Every structure is written in C-alpha cells, then in structure tokens.
Amino acid sequence: MSDIDSLVRQYKAGALSRRGFFKRAGAFGLLMPAASGILTMAGPAHAEEPKRGGWLRIAQGNTDNTLEPVRMVDTDDGIYSNCVYQRLTRFAPTLEVEGDAAEEWSVNAQATEWSFKLRGGLTFHNGQPVTAADVVESLSRHIAEGSESPAKALLSTVTAIDAPDGSTVKITLSSGNADLPVIMSDYHLAIHPAGHTDFAMAIGSGPFKVMEFIPGERVVLERFENYYEEGKPYLDGIDFIPVPDANATLSTLLAGDVDAIRDVPAFAVEQLSGNDAITLYNTPTGGFTNIVMMVDRAPTDNADFRKGIKHALDRELILNQVFKGIGTISADTPIGPTYKYWCKDVKPAEYDLDKAKFHFDKAGVNAVELYTSETAGSTANDIALTFQQSAKGAADIKVIKTPSDGYWSNIWMQKPMTMSGWQARPTVDAFLTIAHMKGGSWNETMWGSDAFDAMILAARAELDEAKRAQMYCDMLHMMNDDGGFVNPVFQNQLEATAKNVMGYTPHSVGAMGGFGQTLRNVWLA
C-alpha cells in the first residue's frame, strides 16, 4: 500500500479530516490540485459511526516503564501518559496546538506571562474535580530543587506557576517564549491530583484509567466514563502486552495475538502491504535511532576520535540495508526536513575510511565498544552491526548487545558509546532544550556550553523568522561539526494495525498516533 493509498483509507474511515488529508499529502510531495482530485475519486468520508466496546491489544512494555511524570523516559511511558493523563494542550496530527485540559489561553506582548483557562467540569479518575491547584503542583514537580525530570530544561525559564483562581493557571517566564502552548503538550507535563504520590496506580483525567500496572508483565487500562470528550474513548480498554523483540512483535500481529504494533521492521513493509488483514502506516517523521558519544569520558571525549567515527559511518549503507531505502539521510543533528527550522545547509560527514583512519590515528585510538539494545529502537542492533561493517579497515567497533530491561538505567549515559532513540518533538527549541542544553537530564552526549545555551534562549525569544532560522542553522552547524551526536537516518514511522482497528491517525511527532493520542479515537469494526 502506498503512502497516499494509506491516507485515502484513513480519510474514508473517518480517521483523517479533509484538511488533515491535504496536510499529510503535501508532506509526501503531492500538490493541492492532485490531492483534491484523489479525494474526489475516493468519494466521501466513511459515514459509519464509531462503535463503543472491545479491547485493543498493543505490543509494548518493559520493566523500566513508569507512570510517574518526572521519571518518564521512553516512548512506552509517553503512550501511557497520553492515555491516563491530560496536559494543558495537545499537539494535533495537523501540527497545530489545541486545547486539552485548557480550553483557551492568552499572553502578554513580551510572551513572558501566559494564562491558561481550564475547561469546566473536568474530573480525575477518583472523582475529584481538576483544579488550577492540581496543575500548579503537577508542573512544579518538574522544576523543584533536586528534580531530575527530563522536562526540567523545557521549563528552565519559568519563574512562577500560580493559580489566581480555581480555573486559571498563570505561568511567568524570565524571557519570552512564543512556543509555550506547544511545550505544554509534552507528555511529561501530565496533570495529576495535588498530593498524589502513588504512581503505581496513577490517577489522571485522561481517556483511560489504570486497572493494572506491572512493568514488563502487563499494563491494563479501562475506559474513563467521565472523560470530557463526549462519547470517547470508544474502546472498553487497552491491554499492553510486552513482546521481547521486533521479530516477535511482528509475529504476534500476524498471528492475531495483538491488534497494533509500532516500529515495524523495514524488511516487513512489502509483506504487510500485501496482507488484506493488516493496515500499514508509513509516516515521515523527525524520529531516529542514533549513536551517542559522551564527550566527558574517554575515548569519546577526543574530538578527532568523534570525527573518525562520523567518517567511518556509511549512511547510504544503513539507509538501504537497515531501512530498505525508507527514510532520509541525516547530518548529525536531531532536526530534519519535517521541522519548520530545518537547516538544509548542514551536511553529513562523507563516508571516507582514509579520513576516518587519519582522525583515529591523530586521536591515538581506533577501537571502541558500542552498546546497543532493541529498547533504543527496533533498528538499533542492526544499525550498530552495519556501522561495525562500514568501519572495517579504519576502526574496530565491538558491538555489545544488551537486554532491554535496565538498558536506560544501567547502560545509556553510563557507557562512553551507546545506541539511543528519539521520537520527534513539536519544535526545534523543545528538542534542543530537552536533549542538548548543558546539564540537561537528557543531554546524553554531555556536549554543550554556556554559549550554546545562550543561543537556544536567544532563538526562543526571537520574533524575526529569518533571524530565528539563521540562529538555529548556526547551532546545528556547531553540533554537526563538533558534537557527540551521530544520527544516520531520519526514519519513517512504520506502524501496523489489524484491519478492524478504525479511527487510527498516525502522527509525525510520536509513535502510536502522537504518543498514543490517537487511542482515544480508535474503535473496533
């Protein structure tokens, strides 16, 4: 099934609006007249009404999973978060921000004082009303002294979070940030009752409530009948079932043991496209599986060693061998063509073993251990092994495969060189802030400087679009030239569901329809 065929099917199933179809078709390079012609031939959107009932089974889970917002690390956690909690805002598949717990917001002329007005009648799963005081405490936990929340950097310019009344949240910043409503959609910034600390049985106000949460064994969520969107969610509940690896995940879908999977292996795309019992979603994104070189420890603290690694990486080989050509070659930055401020002038290091060997010799090191695990992405192990293959003759890359359980706590950001993986973020600022500011909880390479941080803050407050774009371009050049971040390919999000799964809308920012956002709209035919 082609990308456009998939969009047409989603439109006719009612999972994608006409406006959403045009936006997504444009991302695939289809001009408006052609897209309109396709919709005309396709006929009207499916008139069938969504049905309530049934359980959706999703292949997902490992022992590191958590429902505590300040400790959330991976995509699994983000999907649980969007099912169980609300945030002030939501980042829609159209890449526009919309209200979630907040129904409206306003800002002063300097973009330093924001006021969010909560919807009336919101309730938590335990029956108590959602108030501004709950939001204040939920957000404040991320910036409290000693907090190691990954979202702490996103809120680094917040000087005060107040509740002027029971339904208004006021956020004051030390410098302007026009992107704050988008930032408030981040899955970490979940709203829970003030004083709640038992996150093994988390309480939110999202579409599903927790029945069972045993990380690595089973996670069961059931419909929250008092969710604010009328009639939603349609499902009775969701059963998350851990599956050990990508091949096993694919097998469970084909066998009918689960209804939805993400991170479909690229080699399976042709097989699934021809399967009448499966719907395949192929969505260009800013997501990737990357190599981390920590600049605060040997041997990856040596700039020449890092340059050697980049020249020893055959990106074309990885794109074709690992991703079967599905994706986009990347320079070594986290910002690609799906972002507004993508800098096309930043080019990847050329694959050149002579140059690689020159830099390794200059560094006095040509061997390193590369730790990997499938929890970093279904392609992580294959990327590591393909890199090992491409570096032969210049460096000895020893690939060490490790289990998914415990990888994020015991290997990642502990060993000098590891595999990692990221979903896209709504804005360039959000990604640079959360993952590349000096001292950030998720600055996995430890690369950065006070000057680079100052550039991030300056770009965030810059209202001149051309100047802001150039500032981001300058920063991405710096990362590409010197950083410890290596990103071979921007991946398409490959997901698949059983044919009877309706209302599923993929998202270019976050797997499983925007970190699970789409699940409140899913129903079973």
Side-chain angles (χ1 to χ4, degrees):
M1 178 184 293
S2 72
D3 296 323
I4 298 302
D5 287 339
S6 178
L7 292 185
V8 169
R9 186 184 182 282
Q10 293 169 55
Y11 169 76
K12 296 192 72 175
L16 194 64
S17 68
R18 185 178 180 85
R19 183 181 182 185
F21 177 89
F22 288 136
K23 283 207 169 195
R24 297 291 304 285
F28 293 134
L30 195 67
L31 298 178
M32 181 68 78
S36 297
I38 288 173
L39 281 195
T40 299
M41 290 186 290
H46 203 293
E48 186 177 353
E49 290 293 322
K51 296 189 298 187
R52 284 168 68 88
W55 284 76
L56 185 74
R57 300 162 300 168
I58 298 175
Q60 169 176 304
N62 65 71
T63 58
D64 286 339
N65 292 159
T66 182
L67 287 169
E68 186 172 1
V70 297
R71 293 180 52 238
M72 291 176 175
V73 174
D74 64 10
T75 301
D76 290 358
D77 297 338
I79 292 170
Y80 300 139
S81 180
N82 277 327
C83 287
V84 173
Y85 300 105
Q86 287 184 274
R87 284 135 304 282
L88 286 173
T89 63
R90 194 161 45 218
F91 198 56
T94 57
L95 305 186
E96 297 170 318
V97 66
E98 60 186 26
D100 190 8
E103 63 180 352
E104 59 185 38
W105 48 89
S106 59
V107 63
N108 68 355
Q110 295 76 37
T112 56
E113 293 183 2
W114 289 84
S115 292
F116 293 85
K117 185 75 172 178
L118 300 183
R119 298 181 188 276
L122 295 179
T123 60
F124 287 112
H125 300 155
N126 62 0
Q128 73 184 67
V130 177
T131 70
D134 299 309
V135 179
V136 169
E137 180 170 317
S138 299
L139 297 180
S140 296
R141 292 189 70 220
H142 295 278
I143 57 175
E145 185 175 353
S147 168
E148 295 183 357
S149 168
K152 188 173 185 177
L154 289 175
L155 306 179
S156 61
T157 59
V158 172
T159 58
I161 306 174
D162 303 303
D165 57 56
S167 61
T168 304
V169 177
K170 181 181 178 182
I171 301 177
T172 305
L173 310 174
S174 60
S175 58
N177 189 345
D179 290 334
L180 190 70
V182 182
I183 288 172
M184 287 296 118
S185 70
D186 186 272
Y187 67 77
H188 297 92
L189 303 180
I191 301 167
H192 56 76
H196 185 74
T197 58
D198 181 14
F199 291 98
M201 288 301 291
I203 295 174
S205 53
F208 298 93
K209 59 184 181 180
V210 180
M211 285 183 63
E212 190 174 9
F213 188 75
I214 307 175
E217 293 186 27
R218 194 180 186 200
V219 173
V220 182
L221 309 179
E222 68 175 351
R223 179 197 298 130
F224 177 42
E225 295 290 355
N226 291 327
Y227 182 59
Y228 81 94
E229 289 188 279
E230 186 176 356
K232 297 181 181 180
Y234 303 117
L235 298 167
D236 288 334
I238 307 174
D239 196 351
F240 293 92
I241 304 167
V243 181
D245 55 51
N247 288 332
T249 298
L250 179 62
S251 296
T252 59
L253 177 69
L254 293 172
D257 295 327
V258 298
D259 305 301
I261 66 173
R262 67 172 200 271
D263 290 337
V264 171
F267 69 78
V269 166
E270 186 174 351
Q271 175 188 6
L272 294 183
S273 297
N275 189 321
D276 291 338
I278 302 294
T279 300
L280 177 69
Y281 299 93
N282 183 348
T283 309
T285 77
F288 50 82
T289 301
N290 62 296
I291 298 171
V292 175
M293 295 186 288
M294 301 191 73
V295 303
D296 63 342
R297 64 202 69 184
T300 48
D301 60 345
N302 186 292
D304 274 296
F305 181 83
R306 298 197 298 273
K307 287 180 181 178
I309 289 292
K310 293 178 181 181
H311 283 297
L313 178 69
D314 189 340
R315 298 162 201 267
E316 289 283 353
L317 181 65
I318 288 174
L319 175 63
N320 294 317
Q321 188 164 294
V322 178
F323 295 101
K324 309 305 179 188
I326 304 170
T328 305
I329 292 288
S330 169
D332 294 320
T333 83
I335 307 304
T338 60
Y339 283 87
K340 179 179 180 180
Y341 295 109
W342 173 51
C343 182
K344 63 177 67 176
D345 294 337
V346 180
K347 305 298 183 184
E350 62 180 325
Y351 176 55
D352 187 323
L353 291 182
D354 289 334
K355 287 185 178 180
K357 192 173 186 307
F358 168 80
H359 287 292
F360 288 135
D361 288 345
K362 193 174 178 182
V365 183
N366 68 348
V368 68
E369 294 177 335
L370 173 57
Y371 288 80
T372 181
S373 170
E374 280 207 351
T375 194
S378 62
T379 59
N381 292 347
D382 290 337
I383 290 174
L385 291 170
T386 306
F387 172 47
Q388 179 188 55
Q389 173 187 344
S390 76
K392 283 182 178 177
D396 178 18
I397 309 297
K398 183 179 180 181
V399 174
I400 301 176
K401 296 182 183 179
T402 64
S404 293
D405 291 343
Y407 182 79
W408 297 115
S409 54
N410 300 323
I411 303 296
W412 179 67
M413 294 185 69
Q414 304 299 317
K415 304 295 184 181
M417 194 163 168
T418 63
M419 297 300 299
S420 182
W422 293 81
Q423 298 284 334
R425 290 299 186 273
T427 65
V428 172
D429 177 74
F431 216 138
L432 295 182
T433 298
I434 200 171
H436 298 283
M437 286 191 84
K438 186 179 177 182
S441 298
W442 277 3
N443 186 342
E444 58 190 357
T445 68
M446 295 296 178
W447 180 86
S449 66
D450 292 339
F452 191 80
D453 289 359
M455 292 175 72
I456 294 176
L457 296 178
R460 180 185 301 163
E462 179 56 64
L463 299 180
D464 185 300
E465 288 291 302
K467 289 181 180 178
R468 195 180 194 195
Q470 186 58 54
M471 293 166 80
Y472 283 132
C473 209
D474 292 343
M475 283 185 274
L476 297 179
H477 273 293
M478 292 168 65
M479 292 182 64
N480 181 60
D481 293 341
D482 181 60
F485 175 90
V486 180
N487 172 21
V489 172
F490 285 107
Q491 302 169 205
N492 285 17
Q493 182 67 53
L494 300 175
E495 304 169 304
T497 67
K499 210 72 167 183
N500 68 324
V501 176
M502 311 298 289
Y504 187 99
T505 304
H507 199 304
S508 63
V509 181
M512 204 58 66
F515 293 107
Q517 282 188 52
T518 195
L519 298 178
R520 75 189 197 284
N521 300 318
V522 163
W523 54 282
L524 301 178

